[in-house]
Amino acid sequence: MHKQKSLVLMGNEAIAYGALTAGVGVVSGYPGTPSSEVIDTLLELARMGEIKKTYVEWAINERVAFEVCLGAALVGARSLVTMKAPGINVASDPLISSAYSGIESGMLILVADDPGPHTTQTEQDSRWYGDLAKLPMIEPSSPQEAYEYTILGYEISEKLKLPIILRTTTRVNHVVGNVVIREFKEPDYKPFFKKNPKRYLRAVMTWNRERHEELLETLYKVEPIAEEVGLNKIEGSGDIGIICSGAAYNYVMEVLDENHILDDYKILKLGLIYPLPKKKIEEFLRTVKKVIVVEEIDPYLESKIKELAYDLQLDIEIQGRRELFKKSGELTPDDVENALLGRPILGDISLPRRPPPLCPGCPHMGTYMGLRAGISRAGHRWGEVPVMGDIGCYALGLNPPFEAIWTEHSMGASISMAMGMKVAGYEKPVVAVIGDSTFYHSGITSLIEAVNKNVNILVVIMDNSTVAMTGHQSTPGYSISISGRKLNPVNLESIVKSLGIENVAVVNAFEHREVAEKVREYLKMDGVKVIISRGDCAVLRRRSGIEQVCWVDLEKCTGCLACVKLTGCPALTQVDNKISILEAECTGCTLCMQVCPYDAIIIKKLRET
Amino acid sequence: MLDRYSIVIAGVGGQGGLTLSRIIATAALFSGLEVGTGETLGMAQRGGSVQSYIKIGRSIYSPLIKKGSASALIGLEPLEAARASSYVGPSTKVVLDPEPTPTILNLTGRENYPPIEELLTILKNKTSNLYIVLARREAEKINAKRSANMILLGKLVSIDNLLSVEKIEEAIEVVLGDKAEKAIEAFRHGMKL
Ligand code: SF4
Ligand code: SF4
């Protein structure tokens, strides 16, 4: 028998543990909330020496991560690739062709959607990727199921010889709950590769057609396998049916339980959400009087179930998102109670916003201060030179006091959209700001395009040497990975210079005047100019130990607020019309000191260096 | 205790709401209860609005809490506590540190921080069980600056029977390691306030 352990785990930790229980051999992904903690957890275990044989590392982007895992699954390793919803768009090219080639050993694709959204540019419903890629998709509803489904996912994947999509949402990834886990298995395989052109080569169209045909056949096998392993469950015996999956199931159960009406309902909880288990659903539809579909984001299950009922010519009322639920935003237990029992939902009162700030001593503060000053020194007004933003912490520069960026779209888009504005004839200078990791992920190709077409833009790469926003993961610039693996760091300057860009400068993000001077100079020049504004992330600096902080001499402080208005640093606070620095928050970056017109801010060394 | 005890923790990122949530979850595990926790975080690493949800007890399906139904609200900051007031109902216990953390809009003079009385009224209109604790000040008094969250937990435990003091202290030790001593001191101090 397996040894069991009872723990309290976050959904993402449970997925990591599930992969280890399944003997996963290769894990890759790109950080993205709410998916990141799966690989974070595995890297931490690797760093502590608790995982030895499994390869686990962050990749440069989701597409590369996907292909790394696909390659691994062709030679016998069970693999896991993780990403947030927009990440599956990046990986969609290999995703869709992988269904035609299939795999040898189990491959799991974790895609974490973010209804709400809490931290994502769209409320994308990645369930539609099942139809698009024709890859089976399973969805757990709790940390315990996240653990079990990860293991089952590998079994199903190997039976079908297809990658399986494990689809989750924030309320499964980031929820913490009780989980019983079994022992981990070391990966146990001998790498082999069997040539099979028809499967692995997409260059012959007749083969592609044939593989498509075979894929469609394979999809018929999914439901029986899912039934065998118990992915879809029917609970209760009432005559009102509810069909749901994922986090929605939890809200349904809670509302029925709390209102003591479990007996009136019969619940079909789907673990397999593509292809839909049609037989199971038909059976269910024939035993209830009406059906309510409870789901988040798009009416995905609803449309498919209505279609099925139509095909079966069943005369049954089916209601779902379209009739009973709000059209956007996260589903909550209140929504379910409202839909089932007609209870009104208490509204939130409207209160002043708390715009999320940059951290105290964030290097992006200095870059934005410099950018602002540089633009005005070059003879333009702040607010007339578009600053195209990108995905990362620096997008918080949209908030006061900077209100810096004009767009934030998709990974790498800052540079290509800036180029688009220029080739369309936009007269004012255009600036693109992009973080180091986002630059590696997708900015490089955009920069090559801009250089090749000789467009007039200024690109500021904000290099804080980490993937900060998602919790400080490694970038291709690392020489040692978080797991302790030795890496070949790539050099940002060399990459940029190798493109033949003449004007490339590296500036210190914590010296806002240095940034400003370069911005001024470069805005007057033609062609693509690149400023690498470098400064370590404040969180990392704090982790490795703060050596100094700043404090305010209240005798000198006039309360002019220049420091707050220019830096926006959250460590600065107002006390009796003067400024005081929260010592526990300050990271001693000196940006406030650099702008205080009265020299009221002073450095205090915490320890000698 | 009720079948399910649910807590909303509202505060500003960096005030220790997430640590508090982990401590309560761990104490519940040690007490043989089911737990569920979740949070609404937003994009900032620190300084943004943060809400954590915790449920402990039996048959926990999800940490999300229905509006008006929380057993307790721990307010680490008054504006954020008021923002979470939709979870408060007549029987909700609210423990609150009324000391404000101004927003960047306040600091840059674009907007005034709402009068504290107004924020308290929002909560008082929902429940008569509002307990004001000057947690940050009390923490400073006992030289445990970062433990305002523990002071509020202490207060909550002293007015409501959610978990035993021993299990909570055990959990503080496990979650905080060598920082546990100060936190336990603050927790005990909070129970006396
Ligand atoms: S030195 Fe000034 S700007 Fe930098 S972290 Fe401290 S208070 Fe903030
Ligand atoms: S800039 Fe200097 S004088 Fe003005 S408020 Fe800040 S510390 Fe005081």
Side-chain angles (χ1 to χ4, degrees), chain A residues 44 49 193 236-237 259 280-281 309 338 441-442 447 478 503 510 570:
Chain A
E44 182 58 20
F193 186 45
S237 53
N259 289 290
K280 185 96 175 185
I281 295 173
N338 174 265
H441 178 289
S442 289
L447 186 63
Y478 275 45
N503 296 303
F510 295 115

Side-chain angles (χ1 to χ4, degrees), chain A residues 552 556-563 579 595-598 600-601:
Chain A
V552 179
K556 288 191 181 165
C557 175
T558 63
C560 72
L561 294 183
C563 52
I579 279 297
V595 296
C596 172
Y598 301 98
I601 301 180

